[in-house]
């Protein structure tokens, strides 16, 4: 058995109250149908945040729940790693707003920008910091207000995304602990960045009236190309996580993939040799919440007791960049 350095000791999620169904797109003049969206993506509804439900607000709700389940107080947190593609402000990091909100006065806090793979990147960073001896306890959050950066007039993207946050507490293992992070894997390919991006509004092309009028500060995506890469790279990420943990698909009790699209999830599971009965899917209820999708799903499967102490869980993600990542944990 591979000795582990760190384990997840608590999970939580924070979701906006408002449910926006596929049929609700008609009310904002988007020409689409429930049938088209369900057939292509598996999505039936998503949560859409109100103005007061900021990225930090959702992150704080998820974090408080994870801390309470782990029995960790804000003063015990050494580092807050917050993955987001939708920071509340461009400066400073949303992680420091979260730190202030939680009163985690001892913690260092920073954001990770790796799109949908960001929470798995954060988990890997937390494990590495624990391994180095720098910290004992990390709060790793994925929080996204995707509704703020999608083009609500572009039916090929606006139907895909939703808002939400998920969080976990990661702590140093005690000697002989069986639970823990068994393997992690991260990879990127920046040559493909323009297949899923926000063209303008950053430091290279700061905001102008024209940018806002052209909506070129919002997400643009080449859907079919992204689909092909997502299937290929998520399959690679699954292989690499299994190899590093010296496991096979049959050893995995549950696959918790990034929830972008049911067809991408099915293709990834098939490649890894994992039947759909061992794959968790909630994209039908939340849409694609980017880096929040895996920690939200992880919190649900633990709460529903689909997995429990001793279960082996594989998580796999793919996102803008492109970035892709995976991890296998034993609960
Ligand atoms: N409702 C109805 N019709 C639509 C909609 C819609 N919401 N969106 C597009 N269409 C139309 C198009 O206009 C096109 O019509 P045309 O043939 O008359 O031109 C037709 O449907 C087919 O469009 P495609 O884009 O070719 O449809 P496709 O089968 O590829 O499905 C989809 C599109 C669902 C976006 C698919 O490509 C996909 O899932 N891609 C991956 C996207 C994704 O998951 N991205 C996120 C991953 S990374 C991350 O999470 C950040």
């Amino acid at each position: 058995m591979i000795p582990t350095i760190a384990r997840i000791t608590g999970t939580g999620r924070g979701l906006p109250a408002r449910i926006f169904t596929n049929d609700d797109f008609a009310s904002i003049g988007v020409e689409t149908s429930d049938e088209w969206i369900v057939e292509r993506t598996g999505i039936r509804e998503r949560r859409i945040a109100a103005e007061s439900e900021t990225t930090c607000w959702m992150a704080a709700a998820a974090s408080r729940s994870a801390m309470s389940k782990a029995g960790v107080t804000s003063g015990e947190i050494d580092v807050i790693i917050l993955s987001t593609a939708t920071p509340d402000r461009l400066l400073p990091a949303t992680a420091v707003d979260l730190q202030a909100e939680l009163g985690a006065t001892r913690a260092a806090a920073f954001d990770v920008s790796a799109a949908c793979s960001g929470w798995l990147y954060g988990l890997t960073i937390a494990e590495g910091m624990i391994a180095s001896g720098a910290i004992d306890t990390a709060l790793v959050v994925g929080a996204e207000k995707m509704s703020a950066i999608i083009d609500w007039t572009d039916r090929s993207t606006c139907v895909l995304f939703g808002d939400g946050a998920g969080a976990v507490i990661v702590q140093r293992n005690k000697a002989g602990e069986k639970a823990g992070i068994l393997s992690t894997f991260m990879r990127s390919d920046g040559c493909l960045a323009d297949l899923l991006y926000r063209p303008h509004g950053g430091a290279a092309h700061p905001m102008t009236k024209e940018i806002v009028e052209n909506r070129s500060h919002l997400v643009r995506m080449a859907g079919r190309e992204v689909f092909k890469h997502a299937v290929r790279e998520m399959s690679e990420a699954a292989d690499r996580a299994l190899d590093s943990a010296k496991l096979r698909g049959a050893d995995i009790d549950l696959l918790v993939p990034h929830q972008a699209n049911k067809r991408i999830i099915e293709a990834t599971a098939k490649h890894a040799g994992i039947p759909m009965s061992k794959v968790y899917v909630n994209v039908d209820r939340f849409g694609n919440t980017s880096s929040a999708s895996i920690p939200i799903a992880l919190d649900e499967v633990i709460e529903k007791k689909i997995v429990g102490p001793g279960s082996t869980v594989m998580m796999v993600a793919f996102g803008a960049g492109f970035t892709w990542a995976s991890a296998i944990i034993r609960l």
Side-chain angles (χ1 to χ4, degrees):
M1 193 175 288
I2 297 176
T4 57
I5 294 155
R7 71 195 187 289
I8 290 174
T9 55
T11 60
R13 61 186 188 274
L15 291 157
R18 183 179 177 203
I19 295 172
F20 194 91
T21 69
N22 291 346
D23 288 334
D24 289 334
F25 282 104
S27 69
I28 55 165
V30 174
E31 226 178 283
T32 186
S33 68
D34 180 57
E35 192 192 358
W36 192 96
I37 300 170
V38 172
E39 191 187 306
R40 297 290 212 293
T41 70
I43 300 167
R44 292 181 187 278
E45 61 188 41
R46 72 285 293 140
R47 300 293 177 96
I48 299 296
E51 203 178 327
S52 61
E53 292 169 330
T54 61
T55 298
C56 182
W57 181 89
M58 294 185 279
S63 301
R64 286 195 178 100
S65 171
M67 287 159 59
S68 140
K69 287 179 211 160
V72 163
T73 62
S74 53
E76 291 172 83
I77 297 169
D78 298 312
V79 68
I80 297 174
I81 304 171
L82 186 144
S83 161
T84 189
T86 56
D88 287 328
R89 304 183 280 183
L90 296 183
L91 190 75
T94 301
V96 301
D97 288 335
L98 177 62
Q99 177 196 24
E101 174 66 27
L102 297 176
T105 46
R106 283 183 53 250
F110 60 93
D111 286 0
V112 167
S113 175
C116 304
S117 312
W119 181 80
L120 282 175
Y121 273 51
L123 183 70
T124 306
I125 295 166
E127 187 200 25
M129 291 179 80
I130 291 171
S132 78
I135 63 156
D136 288 319
T137 301
L139 169 62
V140 185
V141 189
E144 308 280 7
K145 190 165 177 172
M146 296 303 290
S147 61
I149 63 162
I150 56 175
D151 183 346
W152 285 91
T153 66
D154 174 8
R155 67 177 181 172
S156 65
T157 52
C158 73
V159 301
L160 303 176
F161 295 98
D163 300 332
V168 301
I169 296 288
V170 183
Q171 292 186 281
R172 179 181 298 285
N173 263 355
K174 300 182 187 86
E177 193 93 49
K178 289 205 175 74
I181 298 168
L182 303 182
S183 69
T184 58
F185 168 76
M186 299 187 290
R187 193 57 57 84
S188 312
D189 185 353
C191 295
L192 301 169
D194 290 359
L195 293 177
L196 176 49
Y197 73 138
R198 298 172 68 187
H200 297 138
H205 300 280
M207 279 292 191
T208 59
K209 196 162 155 269
E210 286 70 34
I211 288 173
V212 174
E213 279 166 7
N214 298 336
R215 300 174 179 278
S216 63
H217 58 304
L218 301 172
V219 169
R220 296 210 177 147
M221 178 175 72
R224 285 207 170 173
E225 287 302 306
V226 172
F227 190 98
K228 275 190 275 178
H229 283 283
V231 171
R232 191 184 313 157
E233 321 312 6
M234 279 177 71
S235 297
E236 187 209 350
D239 288 347
R240 297 296 296 267
L242 288 167
D243 285 351
S244 303
K246 299 188 176 21
L247 296 174
R248 293 169 305 126
D251 300 317
I252 299 299
D253 295 310
L254 192 70
L255 173 63
V256 178
H258 169 47
Q259 308 281 323
N261 178 313
K262 187 140 186 276
R263 291 186 298 151
I264 296 174
I265 293 173
E266 285 165 351
T268 306
K270 190 171 172 204
H271 175 89
I274 298 174
M276 282 307 287
S277 58
K278 288 186 170 183
V279 181
Y280 191 66
V281 178
N282 64 11
V283 73
D284 52 327
R285 287 179 289 122
F286 299 127
N288 181 346
T289 57
S290 190
S291 72
S293 88
I294 292 179
I296 290 172
L298 190 61
D299 185 49
E300 286 198 334
V301 298
I302 292 172
E303 186 177 275
K304 292 179 179 177
K305 297 194 174 16
I306 295 170
V307 289
S311 300
T312 305
V313 177
M314 177 158 74
M315 302 174 284
V316 185
F318 173 84
F322 290 138
T323 59
W324 56 106
S326 54
I328 298 179
I329 56 171
R330 193 181 306 112
L331 294 175

